[in-house]
Amino acid sequence: MNLLMFLLIGAAAGWLGGLVMKGRGFGLIGNIIVGIIGGVLGGWIFDFLDISAGGSMRSSLLVSFVGAVALLFIVGLIKGSNKKG
């Protein structure tokens, strides 16, 4: 059950992050990947800022969403710096 919740939270966070940063999601697998990486990044951000989000499913989604948005922002900066012209 924990793995299923992990994947569902990752998919939801990736989808929401995609909506905020580029106006659409990335498909199921892409959303899960963005959400899981975002969860790790969000956990690091919240820990670095000494913010406790709690241990609920809602707080896990919030942390993953924040991380997904940060991840997509960073990827956008990197992709933008590689464009010529």
Side-chain angles (χ1 to χ4, degrees), residues 28-53:
L28 181 61
I29 301 300
N31 287 340
I32 290 172
I33 292 169
V34 169
I36 290 172
I37 296 171
V40 172
L41 182 59
W44 181 83
I45 291 169
F46 275 59
D47 189 47
F48 181 77
L49 298 174
D50 200 26
I51 299 171
S52 175

Side-chain angles (χ1 to χ4, degrees), residues 6 9-11 13-14 17 30-46 59-72:
F6 184 73
I9 289 172
N31 287 340
I32 290 172
I33 292 169
V34 169
I36 290 172
I37 296 171
V40 172
L41 182 59
W44 181 83
I45 291 169
F46 275 59
S59 62
S60 295
L61 179 59
L62 173 68
V63 170
S64 295
F65 168 71
V66 169
V69 169
L71 172 67
L72 294 172

Side-chain angles (χ1 to χ4, degrees), residues 5 10 19 24 34 60 77 84-85:
M5 293 308 295
L19 287 177
R24 59 183 174 86
V34 169
S60 295
L77 288 177
K84 294 181 181 179

